[in-house]
Amino acid sequence: MRYSAYIFSMIAFVVVFTAAGASSAGEGHDVPPVTGSKELQKLKSLEGEWHGTVVEDGKEIPVTVVYETSSNGSVVVETLSPGTPHEIVSVYYDDGGKLSMTHYCAAGNQPHLTLDESGDDGIALIFAGGSNIDPAKDGYMHGVGFEFDGSGRMVQSWTYFDGGKEAGTTSFTLTRAGQ
């Protein structure tokens, strides 16, 4: 009989301890939302769904891009072509107060880019390293630029390098969904 009382006490302790931990884990400990650099704030303002086109082999192809703010406002997650075999995710964040991003490429590498230029109508990031990449011989995303026109439209240009040289730029012309 003593053994079952011991087991019951242990189960009760685990349940109470787990419930207490779970209730405090999601509270954020009263941490204010992260505002970040002006460039990160600009990317946060893109939150939502965007539709547009990209030209490949002379043909216009429809494209969807989704922006979500996450992690208490400290990151912007960009999903290009969500739900398709060509889905690509990039995560934008501040590193020491400077906009940076990691691009999770369909090629299986993860280029890391940092802020190169910024202005009222645009942001440009450039390659600063990465994982699963040998820049001298591999293909990888080397740069990305955003051009904003202030009316819910933007052009996003991705520059690709292969074998240590520029291999082309792909531009997406996008409009915020519902506009």
Side-chain angles (χ1 to χ4, degrees):
M1 199 64 153
R2 294 182 122 194
Y3 181 73
S4 62
Y6 173 77
I7 295 292
F8 178 76
S9 295
M10 290 305 295
I11 290 172
F13 173 78
V14 168
V15 167
V16 168
F17 182 76
T18 303
S23 68
S24 66
E27 291 178 12
H29 305 286
D30 297 324
V31 176
V34 175
T35 54
S37 66
K38 69 178 183 174
E39 293 84 9
L40 183 62
Q41 288 190 47
K42 180 68 174 179
L43 293 180
K44 287 181 192 182
S45 76
L46 303 177
E47 190 162 35
E49 192 168 302
W50 293 71
H51 299 281
T53 58
V54 61
V55 177
E56 290 182 5
D57 300 322
K59 297 178 187 172
E60 278 194 6
I61 299 170
V63 66
T64 298
V65 182
V66 175
Y67 293 93
E68 297 177 286
T69 302
S70 186
S71 300
N72 195 33
S74 66
V75 302
V76 173
V77 180
E78 172 189 67
T79 307
L80 178 65
S81 300
T84 73
H86 303 288
E87 180 176 287
I88 298 171
V89 173
S90 297
V91 179
Y92 298 85
Y93 52 91
D94 281 342
D95 186 1
K98 183 177 181 180
L99 184 66
S100 298
M101 66 95 87
T102 301
H103 176 71
Y104 298 90
C105 190
N109 55 36
Q110 299 81 36
H112 172 72
L113 287 75
T114 59
L115 185 67
D116 185 42
E117 295 180 40
S118 174
D120 291 339
D121 59 350
I123 298 171
L125 294 102
I126 193 80
F127 182 73
S131 49
N132 295 323
I133 302 169
D134 179 347
K137 63 182 182 179
D138 295 334
Y140 65 95
M141 200 56 59
H142 185 80
V144 62
F146 294 83
E147 293 177 40
F148 308 106
D149 75 1
S151 68
R153 295 172 194 231
M154 72 171 149
V155 175
Q156 198 178 100
S157 299
W158 292 85
T159 303
Y160 191 76
F161 270 42
D162 196 3
K165 297 183 238 175
E166 186 173 332
T169 298
T170 302
S171 294
F172 302 87
T173 304
L174 302 164
T175 304
R176 186 183 294 276
Q179 288 196 359

